[in-house]
Amino acid sequence: MQEKIQKRTGIFIAVIVLLLLLFMVKLMQMQIVSGEEYLAQAEGGSSRTIEVSAARGEIVDRYAEPLVQNQMGFNVIFDAGSMIRSHLNDYILELCALFREQGESWNDSLPIEAFGEGYRFIEGRESAVSRLKRELGIADYATADDAMAWLIEENNIDTEGLSRDEIRTVAGVRYEMALKDYSVANPYTFAEDISMTTAILVTERSNEMPGVLVMETPIRAYVAEDIASNVIGFVGAFDEGQYTAEWREAGYSLNDQIGKTGLEAAYESELRGQNGVRRLELDGDNLVIGSEDITPAQPGNTIVSTIDKSTQEDAQRILAEGIADMAARQLENEEEIQANAGAMVVLDVETFGVIAAANYPTYNLETYQEDYASLLQNPANPLFDRSFSGLYAPGSCFKPAVATATLAEGVMDANDTVDCTGRYTRFADYQPTCMGVHGSIDVREALAVSCNIYFYEAGYQLGIEPITRYANTLGLGVKTGVEINEATGRISNREFVESLGNFWTDGQIVSTAIGQSETVVTPLQLATLAASIANDGVRLQTHLVSSVMSYNLDQTIWEHTPTVMAEVEDKDAIRVVQEGMLECTLSGSARYYFQDCPIRVAAKTGTPQTETNLNAIFIAYAPYEDPQIAVACVVEKGGGGYMLAPMVRELIENYFARQQGTMAGSDEQLPTTEENILLP
């Protein structure tokens, strides 16, 4: 990636030099060859001001590794104040022909294409067609030919000698210009991020097309490509109806780009810089003969995220490889359903900052626009943020919350036992089972081996209110406070169950106690649960940003302050739950995968039953003695929570190896102390 950036930078510098040489030649021509002529024109000329786009703030990881940067690029804009309006359609045809030759695209959202002897609406663009008819004020039953006739007349398009494709081209650009409110006060961006070669060709023709300007502009570069795409988000134009008075009063123009998702949207006000003002000197023919920055553009602030780029990369790789391996085994065993999607979230136990939030499948922000259609059609839905918005029954990973409630409410103490015979027989008409026959079992062992019978009885004695209260306290079924969009989830309750046409019974309560019934939570909430238990029952606000700094990282504008969201007061109860989760890896359901692990890990497996298959869920924190990270992993159709243990172990071992600078096969200098970290 670094070599790619350096190569692009080198090419950019070379072309800038060429452009400067071109401008110098033109300047010499103006001053020496045609000096008197241009002087006469300048004396009859004028000046005007245009807005200069500010660089958007960058987004970096906790070690200041770039996730989103700015690279200088070129846009082509139409400046109405210096354009000969009667020649506009000719300029559009000439530019579009040049752009086709160069393989460039331009802004055009007109949902019409030439077809046969006329025109037709483009299939699959129904919403755009509806908008077109609204914008033109034509009837719903109007045809594409009707719309084109309106556009031709309204925009004075001389069709003589033009092909239908050429007419459509001019109409498309003029329609886009109208949507973007093109005027003297509001220049129109014809094309964005054009190649350097095209920028030179357009500049060479500037004498022939006054008002068509090549502007050097900061361009968003998603240097991390597919790393943390769901967290970073992307920028884009205003959607229909989105450009309200509120945006206008904040200084935005209709042509501006804004954050649409993720941190780009959540921190729009910080990332957005202050645009500058440039005065253009025009000659008598409205050609630009000079410019001066009146007010320099001020770049936006830099967002320092809590993401660790290396751990994020690791989580995405481990998740993708793990799901592929699981699916291959399922296929080999001739199972009808194969694992195909999942998420992994890693939190910093000390701050509850999100170290990693991986989705599988995912997408590449750098090629998002080109890939959008195929991403929408992908049945695995890579655009869906499973880590923050995916809702899953937690299964046995819910049991630590119930164990906490049981002990803290005094329903049972740490030494009380329940007799597991493999079947829960309290009800005559509903007798759920356990995966084993454990005999007399206490809470620690029940957590270690995931005994359903213990938790059926604990849930029955507790009732739904304490179960819900402690689950919420530990982060399940409530918003965690993270800055970007997250699902709330829910703990199963009477109102929801009855809304489905089912009866609320004690059987629903005992089912809820093992993470079934109608309880659904997110992977982010599961990681928050693990972090809260690791943090002695104190749940902090989960967050993605540690600080906001000046563009050059030389001044701190704001920094995150840990906020306590909820707390379990009974620390003895939490300590017992911690011991039970440690036993899960020492003698319980995950012992096979952690028996030789050099780091002591506390964990819980979960295998919630859905209507058609078994999902796999695993939560953990480490090291047990001094917790630093908490992990939650979910794989759809994974078959069993214990199968995720190798994935989580690899993530944990790699994380601490990096912290110690001992990653096998790595020659890079790794940060090992807090001095290297841009966290408060």
Side-chain angles (χ1 to χ4, degrees), residues 30 42 45-49 82 278-284 286-292 294:
M30 291 166 60
S46 62
S47 68
R48 59 175 272 91
T49 59
S82 55
R278 179 174 297 167
R279 182 169 55 231
L280 302 179
E281 300 295 338
L282 310 175
D283 65 15
N286 278 337
L287 295 174
V288 178
I289 58 174
S291 66
E292 177 187 5
I294 300 173

Side-chain angles (χ1 to χ4, degrees), residues 350 672-680:
E350 183 179 354
T672 57
T673 68
E674 289 196 5
E675 283 76 28
N676 301 104
I677 304 176
L678 288 175
L679 287 174

Side-chain angles (χ1 to χ4, degrees), residues 450-482:
S450 204
C451 175
N452 285 348
I453 304 302
Y454 180 94
F455 288 99
Y456 289 144
E457 182 60 19
Y460 176 79
Q461 293 191 39
L462 275 168
I464 197 62
E465 189 278 328
I467 292 175
T468 302
R469 178 158 40 90
Y470 281 88
N472 291 166
T473 296
L474 293 168
L476 301 179
V478 292
K479 293 288 184 70
T480 68
V482 75

